[in-house]
Amino acid sequence: MNISDVAHETGLPPKTIRYYEEIGLIRPLRDTNGYRVFRQSDSHKLAFLGRARALGFSIEDCRKLMALYEDQDRASSDVKQLAQEHLAQIDEKIAQLQSMQATLRHLVRECAGDARPDCPILRDLAEG
């Protein structure tokens, strides 16, 4: 497969595929003319990486997950620990976003939104 074929198959842009190759997450073969030749295993790895990235795993976590996936002697507890750490980070981000949402909701409610210059939103931002 060439890069456009594997991009279509995995749903990843060619630029992302080239980046994953550049950082060593995948290693497609090279044809005599220098073009990348993707095997089915490369396509599978790219789909794996795409799904992991869609779940918010960092590139470094993806590297660890890929190594664990390829290690037939892995302990599932290692995979679970990595996923639990990522889940804790997501929970923290959600808590931060909920706090931001509550603050902004309150400020929007307090703002009259009329022709007067007084605005609690701007006041809060200036005092923050």
Side-chain angles (χ1 to χ4, degrees):
M1 279 185 281
N2 64 30
I3 196 164
S4 61
D5 294 334
V6 80
H8 179 73
E9 189 172 295
T10 63
L12 296 174
K15 184 176 181 178
T16 300
I17 295 169
R18 285 190 288 273
Y19 174 68
Y20 288 167
E21 178 186 14
E22 181 183 317
I23 63 172
L25 286 174
I26 59 162
R27 291 183 179 84
L29 300 174
R30 292 287 180 158
D31 207 347
T32 55
N33 59 9
Y35 290 137
R36 293 169 185 86
V37 178
F38 292 92
R39 298 159 290 199
Q40 196 59 42
S41 61
D42 296 319
S43 180
H44 183 74
K45 286 178 185 179
L46 286 165
F48 179 98
L49 291 167
R51 177 76 173 129
R53 294 293 287 154
L55 290 172
F57 283 99
S58 69
I59 292 292
E60 197 49 47
D61 284 345
C62 286
R63 191 179 304 282
K64 292 174 187 174
L65 286 167
M66 184 64 71
L68 287 165
Y69 179 73
E70 292 174 337
D71 180 3
Q72 296 303 309
D73 296 324
R74 69 182 169 265
S76 65
S77 60
D78 294 336
V79 181
K80 185 174 182 175
Q81 180 182 355
L82 187 62
Q84 285 176 319
E85 290 168 4
H86 182 58
L87 186 58
Q89 292 170 352
I90 290 172
D91 288 339
E92 178 60 30
K93 286 179 186 177
I94 289 171
Q96 291 171 356
L97 287 170
Q98 287 174 330
S99 175
M100 290 167 46
Q101 180 187 43
T103 300
L104 192 54
R105 182 172 280 134
H106 169 75
L107 292 171
V108 167
R109 223 182 354 255
E110 294 298 310
C111 182
D114 56 18
R116 293 179 294 155
D118 181 51
C119 180
I121 299 168
L122 293 176
R123 191 176 329 115
D124 182 83
L125 292 173
E127 293 171 359

